[in-house]
Amino acid sequence: MKLSELSTETGVSTASLKYYLRESLLAPGEPVTRTQSEYGPDHVERVRLIRALVESGGLSLAQVRRVIDALDSPTVPRHELLGVAQEALMDAERFDEDAEWTAVATTFVERRGWRIQDGDVLIPQLGAQLKALAETCDVGGRETLDRWADAAEIVAASDLDTLTDDDAQALRTAIVGTVLSDKVLQTLRRLAQQNRTGRLYEAARESGGSPGSNQ
């Protein structure tokens, strides 16, 4: 197919496709003339991946490049797949590290018995997030954090269960699945909040009280 047909097939403008080609995010097509090239199913798949990462995953093109580089890299040991995914997605959030809150996050992770690599940037990132929560709202303290961690462990187990025996496909699932499922989990959380609130309201109305009351 021509570039214009690739644009129609993927819903991405020809200008964007040309940019992807210039930036080597998309492999060149097969030359047929001096000014025209042919594109195939692999190009359609790659463009759809880029579009999903940008539009649904919210990644910058710099992050997309790291994801693609990771996907195109040689096979990595299976126990390192999610680590490669996390490294490819690094810098998704900017934060100011706070030594005191990093220590709080470290203590929490150690108390959970989680096996985390020394120096992992996710620890100070968690600390910065906990600091922001503590400074702006009351979410229930350590008990709430433990419940969130319990839920996170269930999600992590599910993530590992989705990895197939094919290393290349498993790497793709680890990276792309992490990006896109983060958004799904966020939406599901909001839907669950609405459901929970609605049920509490109905129960309170039936009992003659109000949501959140002790009546």
Side-chain angles (χ1 to χ4, degrees), residues 33-163:
T33 69
R34 188 174 64 85
T35 58
Q36 286 191 336
S37 298
E38 285 287 335
Y39 302 89
D42 288 346
H43 292 93
V44 172
E45 181 181 2
R46 177 53 59 87
V47 172
R48 287 176 174 167
L49 171 62
I50 295 172
R51 182 178 181 180
L53 292 173
V54 172
E55 295 183 3
S56 298
L59 299 190
S60 67
L61 287 180
Q63 289 172 297
V64 171
R65 180 183 299 282
R66 287 201 293 274
V67 169
I68 288 175
D69 287 345
L71 292 175
D72 291 342
S73 67
T75 301
V76 298
R78 291 188 66 80
H79 69 278
E80 296 180 8
L81 287 177
L82 291 178
V84 171
Q86 291 176 357
E87 183 176 350
L89 301 175
M90 201 57 66
D91 295 331
E93 296 183 31
R94 298 289 182 178
F95 64 93
D96 294 324
E97 182 174 353
D98 182 292
E100 180 179 350
W101 281 94
T102 295
V104 171
T106 300
T107 299
F108 174 77
V109 167
E110 290 176 347
R111 184 172 60 79
R112 295 286 305 190
W114 287 358
R115 298 180 180 179
I116 307 300
Q117 292 182 349
D118 292 339
D120 195 304
V121 72
L122 292 176
I123 301 299
Q125 181 170 316
L126 175 61
Q129 293 164 344
L130 294 176
K131 178 183 179 182
L133 272 176
E135 291 178 344
T136 57
C137 60
D138 180 9
V139 295
R142 199 176 76 178
E143 180 181 353
T144 298
L145 188 57
D146 271 323
R147 294 176 69 183
W148 288 344
D150 289 341
E153 288 183 357
I154 294 173
V155 172
S158 178
D159 290 339
L160 291 174
D161 288 343
T162 65
L163 302 184

Side-chain angles (χ1 to χ4, degrees), residues 199-209:
R199 289 180 179 276
L200 289 174
Y201 176 80
E202 291 176 2
R205 184 176 58 183
E206 292 173 358
S207 65

